[in-house]
Amino acid sequence: MPELPEVETIVRGLRGEVTGRRLTDVRVGHPAVFRYPSPEAIVAGLEGTRVETVARRGKYIVVTLDSGDDLVVHLGMTGHLLVCEAGAPVAVHTHLRVRLDHGRELRFDDARRFGRILLGTAADLLRIRAMPRLGLEPLADDFDATAFDAVLRRTSRTLKAALLDQSGVSGLGNIYIDEACFIARVRPTRRCHRLSRAERRALFVAIPLVLHQAVLNRGTTFDDYRDVWNASGSHRERLQVYGRGGRPCLHCGTVLRQTVAGGRTTVFCPACQR
DNA sequence: CCCCTATCCTGAGGGC
DNA sequence: TGCCCTCAGGATAGGG
C-alpha cells in the first residue's frame, strides 16, 4: 500500500542509484503490467537509454530518459522497485529487469499486478491519461490553504472519500488519511461541506505534517512495502489509528472505532475526533 | 452528485 | 497439516 511517503522514499533511493545510468538487457515478465504502448515497445524504448531524472507526482514515479521518453511507474498495492546486484535471485513476481551500468539491476516486482508501467513522451502520456487528474501536492511549497479549502467545500462526500480521490489532493491513501484526520481531530466519516473553517485548517496542517514525518521514517511497512534496497520503513511504530481498531486511543484511552468509509476500512477515536 | 459494489490479483490468516 | 473462505486495497467502471 505505497502512498506518498513510501513513493517519495523510493524516488529518493532511486535517484542515487539510477541517475546518469545507461539501461541495458531489458527483460519483461507478465505483459499485463506494461500498459502502454506494449511490453515489446517498452523493452525497445528503454534499451540503451540513459536516465536523466527521477521525480514523483502523487503516487506516480516518473523516470525521464535521454531519449525524450518518460517511464511512468505506479506501484499499485504490492509493487516494488528494487535495486539489487545483477544476478541476484529473481523473485516469483518479477516483471521487469534492467541492467544498470554500475553493475546492478533495477527490478519491478508485483505479486498482485495492480501496479503498472508506461513509457512515452510527455505528450503521449498526457494524451492517454497515464496520470489522470492529479490534484494538489501536499508536500509542495505551493500547497495552498485556499485551494485545499476549495477541494473540501465543493463536495458533500465524506472526508475519507474526498481525500482518497487523487484529483483533489494527490498522494494520500488509506493509512495517512486516517492518521491526518486523527491529528486534526476530525472524523473521516464527516461530510466535507459541513466541516468548519477551523477543521479544514486543522486538516490542511495535519496532512503535510503526517506525510513529512512518515518520509523522515522512510515510510510505513505494514506488510509489503520496501524501499529500493528492500529495507522496511519504520513509521508503522508511529501510527496512531490505522490498524488499531478496537484498541485504546493512545491519547485518551477510548476504544478506537473501526468502520467503512469511502469503501475503505476506517479507524478513528470517537472521543478525540468530532 | 453521491454511494456502494465489482473488478483486477495474490497471500495472509482464521476456522474447521 | 491442509483446505477453503474471507479480507486487504489503488484505481476505475458501472449501477442504484
Side-chain angles (χ1 to χ4, degrees), chain A residues 43-245:
Chain A
V43 172
L46 289 178
E47 190 69 37
T49 60
R50 200 177 283 275
V51 173
E52 290 189 339
T53 58
V54 184
R56 179 188 60 74
R57 179 77 177 94
K59 300 178 195 171
Y60 291 82
I61 298 160
V62 183
V63 179
T64 298
L65 307 168
D66 65 355
S67 60
D69 283 344
D70 288 336
L71 181 72
V72 170
V73 179
H74 192 291
L75 300 171
M77 283 290 301
T78 53
H80 298 99
L81 273 176
L82 299 163
V83 175
C84 58
E85 298 306 320
V90 179
V92 184
H93 298 293
T94 297
H95 303 302
L96 177 67
R97 297 175 65 184
V98 182
R99 185 72 179 262
L100 305 166
D101 63 6
H102 65 335
R104 293 188 180 143
E105 263 183 43
L106 174 66
R107 295 182 183 179
F108 175 78
D109 78 57
D110 186 2
R112 271 173 239 187
R113 303 201 301 270
F114 283 14
R116 50 189 175 281
I117 296 178
L118 308 92
L119 180 74
T121 64
D124 287 338
L125 296 170
L126 192 65
R127 182 171 50 79
I128 64 162
R129 291 194 245 256
M131 296 184 281
R133 301 185 8 232
L134 294 178
L136 306 174
E137 279 287 344
L139 285 190
D141 292 338
D142 62 358
F143 184 52
D144 176 64
T146 308
F148 179 73
D149 256 22
V151 169
L152 297 183
R153 293 180 69 170
R154 71 183 176 211
T155 180
S156 60
R157 311 158 87 180
T158 63
L159 184 53
K160 184 62 169 275
L163 294 179
L164 280 168
D165 184 344
Q166 302 297 298
S167 72
V169 178
S170 61
L172 292 172
N174 207 25
I175 296 176
Y176 297 108
I177 292 172
D178 281 9
E179 294 298 310
C181 288
F182 179 78
I183 292 169
R185 302 175 70 95
V186 178
R187 297 188 187 193
T189 50
R190 290 275 300 280
R191 298 280 180 160
C192 287
H193 66 301
R194 298 206 185 280
L195 295 171
S196 70
R197 184 184 180 82
E199 287 167 334
R200 292 194 302 268
R201 178 72 199 181
L203 286 160
F204 173 74
V205 173
I207 288 169
L209 181 73
V210 68
L211 294 175
H212 181 65
Q213 285 175 344
V215 170
L216 291 178
N217 292 322
R218 307 186 56 80
T220 300
T221 297
F222 212 84
D223 34 37
D224 219 68
Y225 162 74
R226 296 289 187 285
D227 69 14
V228 295
W229 299 288
N230 206 35
S232 299
S234 65
H235 195 75
R236 181 178 182 169
E237 303 157 25
R238 304 280 291 273
L239 297 178
Q240 306 201 66
V241 285
Y242 180 85
R244 300 195 65 249

